[in-house]
Amino acid sequence: MEKKLIERITRSHSELWRYDCNHLKVSSGLAASEYEFRRMAVLSEEAAEKEAPAVKRLVKTCYERDYFQTRAAKKCIYMAGTPVAADLRRRIGMKYFRNPAGRGSRYDPLKRQAADNEYLIFPDTLPENARGVPLALVSDGAVIGDGLWRVADPTLWDCGILASEMFAEWMKTVGSLGLYDCVCQFPFPPQREGDCEVMERFLNPLRRYWETGQEMGLSEALETLNGYVDSLYRERCPIDIQGEPSLPESRILYLLALRDKRGSAAKIAREGEAYNSRNVLAHPDVPRISLPTLLTILNSKEPVQPEKLGENLLSRAQDPYGSLKTLVKKGYLRRVETERTTVDKNGKKRNTAYESDVEYTGFFVEWIKFYLPEDPEQRSRAWELALLPSKERNPQFPGGSEYKTLKILWSAEKPLMKKEIKAERGMPETIDRLLEKGLVEERKGQYRRYRPLLSEVDFHAAVIREILSRMDERKNAVISMVGQQIGETWLSNV
């Protein structure tokens, strides 16, 4: 493999692919180096038959890499995840591991992504001339061993794509590098209704080869399947590769370009979510650090327990109980008892939940009115823009004192110096934070002056649009009430 191709795959894997988690869940079998640690010993059919009944209870069917050459499964003693008496574990350990089997893990790694019905298995290495991937369907009670990959409860669609030359090229190139999750990162084409039924027609000729290893008619069946899979990618995932031939000659280049495209889109979406989670709008009375907690409980139809608020915190270091205590003290929340509520030895109630103690529409109406411009014309324009969809990213929202400084700059007819902002009862020390957030710009001269980068109308439209996006289906009632209060009667029908 060319050095440039290896570098490209490695760079894309670390920079882009990790952002896209929408892919098939593929797990590796147990590596041979793990057998003793996982209390597993491979043995022959004869040896398994001669074992005592207590040992036979631990014998399972085992598949390893050579299954696709011999088409013969093996037997193994598998103790991971199964309670075994100490004396029996000692006898098995001395016979197969040359130690009492006291060491090792009792955790069963095969329970991770375990199958309900069956596994689809395939080898981790393929010959260079392979035009497809050999597959096999095995029972959910089997042990998947060294040199194999497994997919739990696959669909016909999964089987067809994984058997194709597209996946074979991915395995021979990306899969051979040993990168983490490299097999899982294979980009599937979008699936549509009825695809499984169509794919079944292409898989039927391959079933004899999967079950018996007989290659009669295999070449023709693979050629038909590969043609169909290539057409799926060409139709549903068009990618232009400049200076390179189109499918099927450049499958790996096409797949890498498709994987990069999806990873890049996922990265942008993930960064946007992270930006929005950190970019919390200020409320005139609620601390910013407590606002996500309050919004979650306001939009919940049932009382919320504190342990379910973890994903709504601004940082992992934040304690939800501090926010809840503040919100209860301010009268926005109240504690309610649940089935799990208990009283400890100090008389304090534990396992309580929290629900809103304010009227939903009234809370959001007052919040929106706080951010509406004072000028009637600007107020109407900002409200109108807020109700229109926008693809632009929200500005970095200011805090309460920063917002006060912004209002002073908007009301001024020219850029202001810090001492002029202070004279208007503003806080000049907030200018540095506003500069970092990109809300104001600095004009250098004999004196440094500052002016807002966003117009008052555009900023308030973005703020109100953000408030509306945090609401549930009761949003229409809030829109109607605000529209009536600012004199825009046509908004009451939105």
Side-chain angles (χ1 to χ4, degrees), residues 194-257:
D195 279 343
C196 285
E197 290 74 11
V198 176
M199 187 66 77
E200 186 175 14
R201 298 201 302 266
F202 293 94
L203 292 178
N204 285 332
L206 290 170
R207 292 185 184 276
R208 181 192 302 176
Y209 170 66
W210 293 352
E211 295 170 358
T212 64
Q214 297 180 8
E215 298 187 1
M216 184 180 300
L218 175 62
S219 179
E220 294 79 4
L222 283 176
E223 184 176 356
T224 305
L225 174 66
N226 290 332
Y228 174 62
V229 173
D230 286 349
S231 68
L232 289 174
Y233 278 98
R234 191 180 298 110
E235 174 191 349
R236 302 180 186 181
C237 311
I239 295 288
D240 293 330
I241 306 176
Q242 297 182 355
E244 298 291 344
S246 59
L247 289 173
E249 291 83 0
S250 58
R251 284 186 172 88
I252 190 59
L253 295 176
Y254 168 85
L255 290 171
L256 291 175

Side-chain angles (χ1 to χ4, degrees), residues 74-267:
K74 300 177 181 179
K75 297 293 183 181
C76 71
I77 295 176
Y78 192 71
M79 293 190 287
T82 304
V84 182
D87 58 336
L88 179 59
R89 184 171 64 248
R90 190 179 304 109
R91 284 193 288 113
I92 294 175
M94 293 303 296
K95 183 175 182 179
Y96 293 103
F97 306 127
R98 296 183 180 179
N99 68 61
R103 297 175 302 177
S105 173
R106 296 185 181 183
Y107 168 69
D108 185 1
L110 297 180
K111 289 183 178 179
R112 179 176 175 266
Q113 298 176 8
D116 294 326
N117 298 305
E118 59 185 3
Y119 290 110
L120 176 72
I121 61 173
F122 54 90
D124 60 358
T125 56
L126 296 174
E128 284 298 322
N129 62 348
R131 296 199 57 203
V133 179
L135 308 177
L137 294 169
V138 301
S139 68
D140 60 320
V143 176
I144 314 302
D146 186 52
L148 296 178
W149 292 94
R150 62 189 176 100
V151 179
D153 301 314
T155 64
L156 291 170
W157 174 259
D158 299 333
C159 295
I161 301 299
L162 294 178
S164 68
E165 190 170 4
M166 275 290 195
F167 186 61
E169 289 297 325
W170 184 270
M171 286 291 296
K172 289 185 288 185
T173 307
V174 181
S176 63
L177 298 180
L179 300 173
Y180 175 73
D181 263 2
C182 57
V183 178
C184 302
Q185 296 289 350
F186 174 74
F188 273 65
Q191 185 179 355
R192 299 175 182 172
E193 187 176 357
D195 279 343
C196 285
E197 290 74 11
V198 176
M199 187 66 77
E200 186 175 14
R201 298 201 302 266
F202 293 94
L203 292 178
N204 285 332
L206 290 170
R207 292 185 184 276
R208 181 192 302 176
Y209 170 66
W210 293 352
E211 295 170 358
T212 64
Q214 297 180 8
E215 298 187 1
M216 184 180 300
L218 175 62
S219 179
E220 294 79 4
L222 283 176
E223 184 176 356
T224 305
L225 174 66
N226 290 332
Y228 174 62
V229 173
D230 286 349
S231 68
L232 289 174
Y233 278 98
R234 191 180 298 110
E235 174 191 349
R236 302 180 186 181
C237 311
I239 295 288
D240 293 330
I241 306 176
Q242 297 182 355
E244 298 291 344
S246 59
L247 289 173
E249 291 83 0
S250 58
R251 284 186 172 88
I252 190 59
L253 295 176
Y254 168 85
L255 290 171
L256 291 175
L258 179 59
R259 179 74 274 175
D260 288 352
K261 179 181 178 181
R262 292 181 179 177
S264 178
K267 180 180 180 181

Side-chain angles (χ1 to χ4, degrees), residues 30 61 139 142 174 184-185 223 231 235-236 244 264 286 292 342 345 359 369 436 456 467 471:
L30 289 176
T61 304
S139 68
V174 181
C184 302
Q185 296 289 350
E223 184 176 356
S231 68
E235 174 191 349
R236 302 180 186 181
E244 298 291 344
S264 178
V286 180
T342 57
K345 61 181 180 181
E359 201 270 322
K369 287 171 61 179
E436 292 178 3
E456 187 173 4
I467 295 175
M471 301 177 63

Side-chain angles (χ1 to χ4, degrees), residues 402-420:
E402 298 163 6
Y403 178 62
K404 184 177 180 180
T405 301
L406 268 180
K407 292 177 71 174
I408 293 173
L409 293 175
W410 279 321
S411 63
E413 297 180 354
K414 61 179 182 178
L416 300 180
M417 295 185 294
K418 287 188 176 180
K419 65 178 183 180
E420 294 173 325

Side-chain angles (χ1 to χ4, degrees), residues 179-447:
L179 300 173
Y180 175 73
D181 263 2
C182 57
V183 178
C184 302
Q185 296 289 350
F186 174 74
F188 273 65
Q191 185 179 355
R192 299 175 182 172
E193 187 176 357
D195 279 343
C196 285
E197 290 74 11
V198 176
M199 187 66 77
E200 186 175 14
R201 298 201 302 266
F202 293 94
L203 292 178
N204 285 332
L206 290 170
R207 292 185 184 276
R208 181 192 302 176
Y209 170 66
W210 293 352
E211 295 170 358
T212 64
Q214 297 180 8
E215 298 187 1
M216 184 180 300
L218 175 62
S219 179
E220 294 79 4
L222 283 176
E223 184 176 356
T224 305
L225 174 66
N226 290 332
Y228 174 62
V229 173
D230 286 349
S231 68
L232 289 174
Y233 278 98
R234 191 180 298 110
E235 174 191 349
R236 302 180 186 181
C237 311
I239 295 288
D240 293 330
I241 306 176
Q242 297 182 355
E244 298 291 344
S246 59
L247 289 173
E249 291 83 0
S250 58
R251 284 186 172 88
I252 190 59
L253 295 176
Y254 168 85
L255 290 171
L256 291 175
L258 179 59
R259 179 74 274 175
D260 288 352
K261 179 181 178 181
R262 292 181 179 177
S264 178
K267 180 180 180 181
I268 293 172
R270 185 82 64 86
E271 289 176 346
E273 292 174 0
Y275 175 88
N276 290 333
S277 66
R278 296 190 301 267
N279 189 24
V280 180
L281 187 61
H283 186 277
D285 187 48
V286 180
R288 290 182 90 185
I289 198 170
S290 303
L291 191 57
T293 299
L294 175 60
L295 293 177
T296 300
I297 297 177
L298 278 173
N299 287 315
S300 176
K301 301 296 190 299
E302 299 177 354
V304 180
Q305 295 176 340
E307 58 266 24
K308 296 183 179 179
L309 293 169
E311 60 185 20
N312 300 296
L313 302 181
L314 297 182
S315 68
R316 294 182 179 180
Q318 182 184 345
D319 181 8
Y321 293 95
S323 295
L324 292 170
K325 184 177 179 180
T326 300
L327 293 170
V328 170
K329 186 176 181 180
K330 285 181 170 289
Y332 288 100
L333 300 180
R334 60 170 173 262
R335 297 176 65 175
V336 295
E337 296 185 11
T338 66
E339 295 179 354
R340 297 178 51 201
T341 300
T342 57
V343 180
D344 64 14
K345 61 181 180 181
N346 297 320
K348 293 184 177 181
K349 292 183 178 180
R350 302 292 182 184
N351 298 323
T352 54
Y354 294 82
E355 65 181 9
S356 171
D357 200 19
V358 294
E359 201 270 322
Y360 187 89
T361 55
F363 172 83
F364 282 98
V365 166
E366 293 302 318
W367 194 9
I368 290 173
K369 287 171 61 179
F370 173 78
Y371 278 109
L372 283 171
E374 296 179 0
D375 180 75
E377 184 178 347
Q378 290 187 349
R379 185 188 310 139
S380 298
R381 181 58 181 160
W383 181 245
E384 181 181 352
L385 290 176
L387 298 181
L388 298 176
S390 175
K391 294 183 179 180
E392 295 184 5
R393 191 167 75 167
N394 285 334
Q396 284 276 3
F397 295 127
S401 56
E402 298 163 6
Y403 178 62
K404 184 177 180 180
T405 301
L406 268 180
K407 292 177 71 174
I408 293 173
L409 293 175
W410 279 321
S411 63
E413 297 180 354
K414 61 179 182 178
L416 300 180
M417 295 185 294
K418 287 188 176 180
K419 65 178 183 180
E420 294 173 325
I421 295 173
K422 187 174 183 179
E424 295 291 332
R425 305 185 67 177
M427 301 179 66
E429 57 269 25
T430 61
I431 286 292
D432 292 337
R433 297 199 295 270
L434 291 171
L435 285 169
E436 292 178 3
K437 294 180 178 181
L439 295 173
V440 301
E441 69 173 356
E442 181 181 78
R443 289 192 170 183
K444 295 183 180 179
Q446 184 178 4
Y447 301 101

